[in-house]
Amino acid sequence: MVDFRLAPENPYPAQLDDAETAYRWLLSQGYEPQNIGSTGHSIGGTLAVMPPLRLLAKGEPTPGAIVSISPWCDLTIQNPTINDNADKDITLSRQSLELFRSAWLQDPTLNFTDPKISILSADLTGLPPTALLYGDYELLAGEDAELGRRLSDFKVTSEVHSLPQTQHSFILGAGRVPEVDEAIEHMGQWLRRHLGR
């Protein structure tokens, strides 16, 4: 668990830097890249993907696999499900996304379509095996589905699941909702398989 710095006190790229620092610490402890998994939920799901992309850009080894749950992939906040699922997702709203974005991306020169911040725009070539899980009622469902298609387009070994009738942060139902527990168990097995454990 990475206790990354939080915005607005620490805007982008502090959280990405912290995730990379944690990865490099694991390497310094003798862990091999192929035995490290990068996982997260919500903005953590975004941060599960961002460090491997940054490492690829530097020509460095990435973690062996990624599990990204309900990532925020498109900082433009333009996907149609932002409106279509507005009455189904009580966890997120367009207003909350705009607030989060302004707290996180404080540099006025940043373009919201920049692939360094909107992973939906990124070149995914070389990304390690990636599992993606999201709820079909959440505001981010459309962009997460699009990320799943892009993983396939870039020939990334991937597994994509939409959990029916679930909203953002459905993962917090673990231990109380059997369908969530089953999805977590499946993702855990997938991760172990791709990390060679």
Side-chain angles (χ1 to χ4, degrees):
M1 298 288 289
V2 179
D3 186 17
F4 56 77
R5 289 169 287 170
L6 302 178
E9 294 81 7
N10 301 283
Y12 172 90
Q15 301 75 23
L16 177 56
D17 293 342
D18 292 348
E20 183 178 348
T21 297
Y23 172 72
R24 293 188 185 284
W25 180 84
L26 287 170
L27 295 178
S28 76
Q29 300 303 301
Y31 292 93
E32 295 295 327
Q34 66 269 19
N35 298 128
I36 298 172
S38 182
T39 67
H41 150 250
S42 193
I43 195 63
T46 309
L47 291 170
V49 178
M50 285 177 130
L53 289 173
R54 183 190 261 188
L55 292 163
L56 284 169
K58 295 176 182 179
E60 298 184 44
T62 68
I66 298 169
V67 173
S68 180
I69 301 170
S70 302
W72 191 8
C73 305
D74 181 3
L75 278 290
T76 68
I77 314 178
Q78 295 299 315
N79 194 281
T81 57
I82 301 289
N83 294 325
D84 296 346
N85 284 351
D87 293 335
K88 297 175 184 173
D89 190 343
I90 63 169
T91 308
L92 290 178
S93 67
R94 175 181 292 278
Q95 293 75 22
S96 64
L97 289 174
E98 289 171 350
L99 176 66
F100 298 153
R101 182 176 67 185
S102 67
W104 192 36
L105 305 177
Q106 296 177 26
D107 181 348
T109 66
L110 283 174
N111 184 324
F112 298 143
T113 63
D114 188 324
K116 290 182 178 137
I117 57 173
S118 281
I119 58 178
L120 200 57
S121 303
D123 180 346
L124 306 178
T125 303
L127 205 64
T130 301
L132 175 63
L133 181 64
Y134 62 92
D136 68 350
Y137 278 6
E138 62 178 290
L139 261 63
L140 306 179
E143 60 196 70
D144 287 353
E146 180 61 24
L147 178 62
R149 288 187 287 274
R150 285 177 55 77
L151 289 167
S152 177
D153 291 345
F154 279 90
K155 308 282 191 273
V156 176
T157 299
S158 58
E159 189 168 315
V160 180
H161 294 285
S162 172
L163 210 58
Q165 300 181 2
T166 52
Q167 57 189 304
H168 193 68
S169 292
F170 67 86
I171 199 74
L172 300 179
R176 296 181 293 279
V177 180
E179 292 83 359
V180 173
D181 291 340
E182 289 170 16
I184 292 171
E185 176 60 26
H186 181 76
M187 291 293 105
Q189 291 172 0
W190 187 93
L191 187 62
R192 288 189 292 275
R193 192 163 61 247
H194 285 280
L195 294 179
R197 297 197 176 242

